[in-house]
Amino acid sequence: MAKKNSTPRSQETDDQSLVSETELPVGPTGRFLITMAPGSQKNLIKTLKESAGLSAASSSDFTDSKVNLESMDGADAVLLEHLSVAIVSGKDARQIQSLEMAVADDSNPIVAIEPEEYVQAINDQGFLTSAGRDYVRGYRDGVADWAGRLLESSPEERMGEGAVAQTFADTPQFTWGLQATRMHTSAATGVGIRVAVLDTGFFSPHPDFAGRQVIAATFVGQPVQDGHGHGTHCIGTSLGDRMRAGGVRRYGCARQGVILVGKVLSNAGSGADGGILAGINWAIQNGARVISMSLGAAVTVGTPPTVAYENAGRAALNAGSLIIAAAGNSGNHPTQFPVGRPANSPSIMAVAAVDQNLQRAPFSCRAANPNGGEVNIAGPGVSVFSSTKIPPRYAVMSGTSMATPHVAGIAALWSQRTGERGTALWQRLISTARAIGQPATHVGRGLVQAPQ
């Protein structure tokens, strides 16, 4: 059985780095992810039944592929047809052992069995799981050290050798991130391009999104309505509208894109691999050209990518969907600094965060592992202004979670402009990125840039 060496960590944070004793579930959920060879879906259902006596439902059995993992439609397993991945309940250890034995048989379609794990997130009050405390302390300490160095150093020292001597700030018209990515001078709007944001949901009554087309589904047993705020912040950055008369500065990229909301994290900020994979499957089913995921788990040096996520990334690219994921916020941690999962999958684009000086944010994870553990591109991720649930309606947050929707929204603009999808869209994003004098291990090919 494939084993994971990482403990889930949050990959999102805001300005309030408070540490709480509030507990959320961590570690394995008790379910399992079964990855199979592509094109063998029917054989897998047969294998599950014959090898382990498991009954299986397919995602196509659910309306619009909105898989309910709480009930699994009364089955022992659910097959995510677009991904060649199944989620198995794991209630009977003997059944899992039977599947493990089947993996050794070259004639059956199963290529990996991995434990499903919980994914945790910080909520808007700053509450954390115990598994996330070291990560947040590392983030807090990194920011404090970074701020001290900024105050004590000269402008030349702040920029560093080979860096781009340019500083950005919010204006009454545009956020600094839109300026740094040249979004504010782009005529592209993302009209008609479907972008799926898999997160904590969406606060639909937000007035800035009145009249927008929204397609939504939940995979956590809660309504799509965002009781957390993080999902609405990410949707605002990737798909928010132009500045309204008498309103706040513009903060969004693809203002005429179609909003697909997949709630894969609860209002408490908790989710699991199966729900995220089900959200990816649903997004592909609904024609998303871009899938934005500001979530994940920290890993250590030597941790390989998860087979199920890599299968999902390849399936998405083959279907013309590009998955863009946060590289992670534990870049200041002594052992958990590499690009986290699922961004460490070769077929998923990993996004790092830069600050207003176009320097790597101290919390942003770095490339350390091969085979997908690289940073591919960077986006604005420090002090990012965007929408959130009401109250307070708007919020300023920092993290690779904030960098990711910048890249996702701009990907939609490039797809609109060129018609490119999947791998071609990936190449377009990295080939047009701006070199900012930072190592590729920190920012990949550079800062994402909007079409002009």
Side-chain angles (χ1 to χ4, degrees), residues 282-300:
W282 167 82
I284 294 172
Q285 173 70 29
N286 283 273
R289 294 199 187 185
V290 181
I291 302 173
S292 181
M293 304 197 311
S294 294
L295 47 80
V299 305
T300 56

Side-chain angles (χ1 to χ4, degrees), residues 10 12-20 121-128 132 135-137 139-141 143 228 383 388-389 391-392 394-399 402:
S10 165
E12 49 270 312
T13 186
D14 57 20
D15 300 296
Q16 304 170 20
S17 302
L18 305 179
V19 178
S20 167
I122 304 170
N123 68 22
D124 58 314
Q125 282 83 33
F127 294 158
L128 278 177
Y135 150 70
V136 168
R137 290 189 181 103
Y139 169 80
R140 178 193 60 199
D141 295 343
V143 171
H228 185 289
S383 298
T388 191
K389 66 174 186 175
Y394 303 105
V396 175
M397 298 186 183
S398 296
M402 286 61 252

Side-chain angles (χ1 to χ4, degrees), residues 94-131:
R94 292 171 299 180
Q95 293 175 320
I96 301 302
Q97 290 171 357
S98 297
L99 291 176
E100 290 173 347
M101 294 176 62
V103 174
D105 181 358
D106 292 337
S107 65
N108 88 62
I110 301 175
V111 296
I113 302 176
E114 300 167 295
E116 180 195 50
E117 294 186 3
Y118 288 106
V119 176
Q120 305 298 344
I122 304 170
N123 68 22
D124 58 314
Q125 282 83 33
F127 294 158
L128 278 177
T129 66
S130 57

Side-chain angles (χ1 to χ4, degrees), residues 5 16 24 110 157 223 225 236 243 272 275 346 362 381 388 393 431 447:
N5 299 319
Q16 304 170 20
L24 291 172
I110 301 175
E157 291 171 330
Q225 191 77 347
M243 186 179 73
T388 191
R393 185 170 174 174
S431 66
L447 181 64

Side-chain angles (χ1 to χ4, degrees), residues 76-264:
D76 300 311
V78 173
L79 168 63
L80 305 177
E81 293 178 285
H82 291 289
L83 309 187
S84 300
V85 173
I87 304 161
V88 176
S89 66
K91 294 178 182 178
D92 189 333
R94 292 171 299 180
Q95 293 175 320
I96 301 302
Q97 290 171 357
S98 297
L99 291 176
E100 290 173 347
M101 294 176 62
V103 174
D105 181 358
D106 292 337
S107 65
N108 88 62
I110 301 175
V111 296
I113 302 176
E114 300 167 295
E116 180 195 50
E117 294 186 3
Y118 288 106
V119 176
Q120 305 298 344
I122 304 170
N123 68 22
D124 58 314
Q125 282 83 33
F127 294 158
L128 278 177
T129 66
S130 57
R133 293 191 189 110
D134 287 343
Y135 150 70
V136 168
R137 290 189 181 103
Y139 169 80
R140 178 193 60 199
D141 295 343
V143 171
D145 175 70
W146 175 54
R149 287 188 285 109
L150 284 177
L151 292 172
E152 295 172 3
S153 60
S154 67
E156 293 77 12
E157 291 171 330
R158 287 198 295 268
M159 295 316 303
E161 184 179 355
V164 177
Q166 189 168 6
T167 299
F168 294 89
D170 285 5
T171 69
Q173 291 78 35
F174 302 101
T175 62
W176 76 266
L178 296 192
Q179 298 171 64
T181 59
R182 298 207 301 166
M183 262 301 312
H184 66 314
T185 57
S186 178
T189 64
V191 59
I193 303 299
R194 295 188 170 204
V195 178
V197 179
L198 306 184
D199 211 287
T200 61
F202 177 52
F203 192 80
S204 57
H206 201 293
D208 290 6
F209 296 87
R212 293 290 295 279
Q213 184 178 357
V214 178
I215 301 168
T218 181
F219 303 93
V220 293
Q222 293 179 348
V224 172
Q225 191 77 347
D226 186 7
H228 185 289
H230 185 268
T232 304
H233 196 278
C234 292
I235 290 171
T237 298
S238 56
L239 292 152
D241 204 350
R242 68 169 69 238
M243 186 179 73
R244 296 175 180 272
V248 299
R249 66 187 67 86
R250 179 179 170 184
Y251 52 82
C253 296
R255 62 183 179 85
Q256 291 186 324
V258 179
I259 303 169
L260 273 63
V261 181
K263 184 165 184 151
V264 300

